[in-house]
Amino acid sequence: MLVEAPEDRSLPAALAGPLNSALIRMSRSASAAELAKKARWSLAGFVRAMKVSYTDITFPLDLDGEEGLADSGDLDIDLTSLLRVAGEAAHARDTVLVLFIDELQYVEERQLGALIMALHRTAQLRLPVTLIGSGLPQLVGHVGSAKSYAERMFSFPKLGPLSGAAARKALEAPASRLGVTYSAEALSEIFRITEGYPYFLQEWGSACWTLADGPVVTLDDVKAATPFAIHELDTTFFRVRFERTTPFEKRYLRAMARLRPGPHRSGEVAQVLGRKVQSVAPTRSNLIRKGMIYGPAHGDTAFTVPLFDQYLKRAVPAG
């Protein structure tokens, strides 16, 4: 089941629909029908109970159910009960219930803690329920804060920029299928500018494809395409992120952009702002929650995407 965890939505609201769909599929198997039905009863009780605390739950699930199944109103208890029963249905179906949750860093800490607790219990019972989550770099610390034992439950592979070889393949493979190649100099320049960030590779590849005249994308083509790629990022990707911030958060980000390439010590940013570290700490925390920056090490601050500092200098030239 695939779930996206946006900032303005609770975890119970995000889980209800996809979990119901998964349970319906399980119920089509004779071996799991009864347990899947029980799990859907449990989900119905869960939804009714959670609507009291999480008013964003609008998923309709009018099922008669058995009282006492995930309906206490306590998220820790109810989510654990719900995933246990769903896990039993998956076991009977001889399948695995996998929660794929994107943007996991946006799940509020208490709700994330309840999810970790539920997964911990299903693991103890050897039920086939697991989580594959993705998120920004601060996710590791967020998970650890939610439940201290989470570090023993999960592995945290880092998905960073592509290597030079992988970036070349990402550009060359789709182009070659249509008879287009890149010169070595063109590939090196795109990699230098984008720092291997996958989405930026797509933008430069798109701009080069539009502007190149011949079957070989040259260094000159890349240079001609770069202003177009930057304009596209400025007016969409970067601007959308920047407009989500408050005026003082914008000042904090612009202060970071004035410094050398990051990470930056929090004290350095505060010094540029003419403030004490303690007074700007809440702003830093808010920007981390919004996914604009992260702390690669204690007291350090860095942008979550490359080239954002250059955009800030263009968008707010005065600093």
Side-chain angles (χ1 to χ4, degrees), residues 20 33 45 131 159 167 189 202 226 280 308:
N20 184 53
L131 166 70
L159 300 178
E189 178 66 3
Q202 292 178 17
T226 292
V280 297
F308 194 48

Side-chain angles (χ1 to χ4, degrees), residues 16 55 91 94 157 164 199 218-219 248 280 314:
T55 55
H91 178 72
D94 195 25
Y199 177 63
T218 66
L219 178 60
F248 189 73
V280 297
R314 293 189 295 271

Side-chain angles (χ1 to χ4, degrees), residues 1-6 9-19 56-57 101:
M1 49 182 280
L2 178 62
V3 178
E4 183 171 346
R9 196 177 185 198
S10 70
L11 181 65
L15 287 177
L19 183 54
D56 61 337
I57 300 178
I101 304 183

Side-chain angles (χ1 to χ4, degrees), residues 199-214:
Y199 177 63
F200 295 171
L201 290 170
Q202 292 178 17
E203 286 292 352
W204 261 260
S206 175
C208 288
W209 181 270
T210 301
L211 294 176
D213 292 327

Side-chain angles (χ1 to χ4, degrees), residues 55-106:
T55 55
D56 61 337
I57 300 178
T58 57
F59 184 76
L61 195 59
D62 296 325
L63 291 174
D64 292 330
E66 176 182 333
E67 289 189 6
L69 280 177
D71 60 1
S72 72
D74 185 304
L75 182 61
D76 289 351
I77 296 171
D78 292 349
L79 189 54
T80 297
S81 297
L82 175 59
L83 290 190
R84 176 182 57 79
V85 178
E88 290 170 351
H91 178 72
R93 178 66 175 80
D94 195 25
T95 189
V96 179
L97 178 63
V98 184
L99 284 65
F100 294 90
I101 304 183
D102 193 17
E103 305 288 4
L104 192 57
Q105 77 278 354
Y106 288 140

Side-chain angles (χ1 to χ4, degrees), residues 159-242:
L159 300 178
L162 297 182
S163 66
R168 287 194 296 273
K169 185 176 181 180
L171 291 165
E172 288 182 308
S176 65
R177 289 195 289 270
L178 295 173
V180 175
T181 60
Y182 285 79
S183 72
E185 295 80 8
L187 290 169
S188 295
E189 178 66 3
I190 294 174
F191 183 71
R192 182 191 68 80
I193 296 170
T194 63
E195 301 179 26
Y197 192 73
Y199 177 63
F200 295 171
L201 290 170
Q202 292 178 17
E203 286 292 352
W204 261 260
S206 175
C208 288
W209 181 270
T210 301
L211 294 176
D213 292 327
V216 179
V217 178
T218 66
L219 178 60
D220 286 341
D221 292 327
V222 175
K223 290 179 178 178
T226 292
F228 291 91
I230 290 175
H231 175 74
E232 183 66 22
L233 290 175
D234 281 2
T235 55
T236 56
F237 184 79
F238 289 138
R239 181 182 176 186
V240 168
R241 296 169 64 84
F242 191 54

